[in-house]
Amino acid sequence: MAAVPHTRAANIKIASINLFNFIEPPLAYYDFENIYSHGQWQKKCQWLSEFLTHRQPDIVGFQEVFSPEPLKRITSEQGLVHFAIVDEPTLISDYIYRSPVVALASRYPIVAVSSVEPDARLVAAMGLSSEFAFSRKVLRATIEVPQIGLCDFYVVHFKSKRAGLALEPKPFEHQPLGVDNVAPTASMKLHSETQLLTEQALGRWASTMQRGAEAALLFNGILVRRQVSKHPVILMGDFNDSLTMGALDALTIQGESIHSNDIKAAGLGHLSDAALSAVFVQYQLKDAYELFIEANLRDSLTGNAAYHREHRAATHYYGPKGSVLDYILLSSEFDASHGRSLAQVIDYQTCDRHLVRPEYERDAYSTDHAPVIVELALRS
């Protein structure tokens, strides 16, 4: 995909990379058998180092980090000398870990770091358990970006689609009517199959609800922070879902989708359409890919937005099926159509060579996600 023509050399590159079980041996992820050999670990680190050398991002959000210290060393060697995490993996037993964390590395100074916690009042209003928490802690880092100033970067890894529900099996004597005359082995097989399907159906829906709640509560956290700080916002990570699916609607909500009665109830009914749009736009987040397509059409005589949107490269594959799960969302300061924007998206890359044209020696221990990279240029 061709980049938008530009004249400035001093641009900013932002990347999001799911590292897929980045854990230094002899530590193991999830199970005692999941330990990289020394050679495998070296290949994994080399792949990342070469990727950073080739792509030269300035700010990177990472997911699935079990071993932050080796990651910090690698990124520092690439000039990303500022590093942040807000959590640590969970030790199951001995050397076995679960619950990897997110991290951020930056070429520019990180002036503040914190985790984003869900608002307990909103958790209760949504009917969620008081024990609700993000499945992985969200990292917020405020970075001094050259010529732009302080920006708030959020790194997320939302709940996966995988079903995590395990039901207690029903006693054999409680089998439904109609199976009494079936041999016990066949009856038990039928029961295990129906239980498996039930667990999958309920478990996937539970994961969707968790992911949707995470997105909505995070968006609230971003809104509250932005209202006070006025900082530009960059949200990136593994969303584990498509932005076009309902679970993530909150992240890209538009003022046009809000009912007029709700607008009046909020005390904004007196505003004109233009004034109302100006109010909402300062809080909206947009997909960097869409901003790139729009900018490409404005600044170039070639290209077709509908074609590019339809053929957007996948960032993850489950068997032969590809999905876009990894995103970088930007606030209005990076939307060239907004009159007060500071920068625009001039390039967007889905780095999927290791997925679609893998070479074993180079890519065997890389990652199962395609990193995404956005390049920004200041507007003149």
Side-chain angles (χ1 to χ4, degrees):
M1 186 180 298
V4 177
H6 62 284
T7 56
R8 289 186 178 272
N11 299 327
I12 299 163
K13 286 186 179 181
I14 301 167
S16 179
I17 308 175
N18 182 316
L19 291 174
F20 187 50
N21 298 323
F22 189 84
I23 188 166
E24 185 176 27
L27 304 180
Y29 55 95
Y30 304 116
D31 188 270
F32 71 93
E33 295 181 347
N34 296 328
I35 304 174
Y36 296 119
S37 68
H38 176 74
Q40 292 169 341
W41 173 243
Q42 290 302 310
K43 284 186 176 182
K44 191 170 186 68
C45 292
Q46 182 179 356
W47 183 91
L48 175 59
S49 181
E50 291 178 352
F51 176 87
L52 295 176
T53 298
H54 175 60
R55 298 291 181 170
Q56 289 290 299
D58 299 299
I59 300 166
V60 187
F62 297 100
Q63 304 89 48
E64 292 205 26
V65 179
F66 284 101
S67 298
E69 285 305 315
L71 178 59
K72 184 177 181 180
R73 289 197 299 269
I74 292 171
T75 55
S76 181
E77 290 168 358
Q78 299 298 323
L80 303 165
V81 296
H82 305 278
F83 189 84
I85 57 173
V86 292
D87 200 6
E88 58 184 24
T90 302
L91 178 65
I92 302 174
S93 64
D94 298 329
Y95 52 88
I96 305 171
Y97 284 83
R98 62 176 176 82
S99 304
V101 302
V102 301
L104 183 140
S106 172
R107 203 174 302 278
Y108 313 124
I110 301 174
V111 301
V113 178
S114 65
S115 63
V116 180
E117 303 300 331
D119 186 315
R121 179 181 60 88
L122 299 182
V123 167
M126 295 170 69
L128 301 172
S129 165
S130 60
E131 303 298 316
F132 178 89
F134 292 115
S135 53
R136 291 100 171 179
K137 280 195 174 183
V138 178
L139 183 155
R140 181 178 68 221
T142 303
I143 300 176
E144 183 74 45
V145 179
Q147 302 183 68
I148 294 180
L150 295 178
C151 296
D152 285 337
F153 286 78
Y154 296 81
V155 185
V156 302
H157 189 181
F158 289 139
K159 180 71 177 71
S160 71
K161 292 183 178 180
R162 185 173 181 180
L165 188 67
L167 301 174
E168 289 295 325
K170 290 183 179 180
F172 175 69
E173 61 268 23
H174 291 164
Q175 291 292 319
L177 294 175
V179 299
D180 302 83
N181 297 324
V182 181
T185 54
S187 179
M188 291 302 290
K189 181 179 179 182
L190 177 63
H191 178 260
S192 64
E193 290 173 352
T194 56
Q195 174 159 317
L196 173 61
L197 292 173
T198 298
E199 289 177 345
Q200 288 294 305
L202 296 181
R204 292 185 186 190
W205 179 241
S207 294
T208 298
M209 290 192 295
Q210 170 78 20
R211 191 164 55 255
E214 289 177 352
L217 290 165
L218 172 59
F219 186 60
N220 169 73
I222 293 173
L223 292 179
V224 171
R225 166 73 175 177
R226 185 151 161 79
Q227 189 173 31
V228 174
S229 73
K230 310 301 182 185
H231 295 161
V233 172
I234 297 90
L235 168 62
M236 56 182 161
D238 177 359
F239 289 20
N240 265 315
D241 211 339
S242 168
L243 278 179
T244 61
M245 302 302 288
L248 301 181
D249 274 354
L251 296 175
T252 55
I253 190 169
Q254 303 290 310
E256 295 85 350
S257 65
I258 302 176
H259 197 280
S260 59
N261 289 341
D262 294 326
I263 292 174
K264 291 176 183 176
L268 301 174
H270 65 285
L271 296 177
S272 66
D273 289 346
L276 196 61
S277 177
V279 168
F280 288 132
V281 74
Q282 63 183 316
Y283 297 108
Q284 290 172 352
L285 299 176
K286 290 190 176 182
D287 182 358
Y289 177 86
E290 294 293 333
L291 290 176
F292 169 66
I293 295 299
E294 293 169 7
N296 201 49
L297 287 177
R298 279 193 302 269
D299 298 348
S300 173
L301 297 178
T302 62
N304 182 287
Y307 173 83
H308 285 307
R309 289 189 178 101
E310 183 181 349
H311 291 79
R312 183 175 186 173
T315 67
H316 184 265
Y317 289 87
Y318 186 76
K321 183 180 179 181
S323 303
V324 179
L325 304 181
D326 303 80
Y327 293 91
I328 299 176
L329 305 186
L330 305 172
S331 60
S332 58
E333 287 86 351
F334 309 104
D335 181 354
S337 67
H338 186 249
R340 296 183 179 179
S341 65
L342 303 175
Q344 71 170 341
V345 179
I346 61 167
D347 196 17
Y348 185 101
Q349 298 290 331
T350 300
C351 308
D352 60 357
R353 182 183 66 174
H354 64 289
L355 298 179
V356 298
R357 297 186 304 278
E359 295 179 14
Y360 182 81
E361 283 300 313
R362 181 191 64 204
D363 302 319
Y365 298 97
S366 54
T367 173
D368 62 343
H369 282 247
V372 291
I373 300 182
V374 167
E375 186 170 358
L376 305 174
L378 291 177
R379 299 196 69 200
S380 54

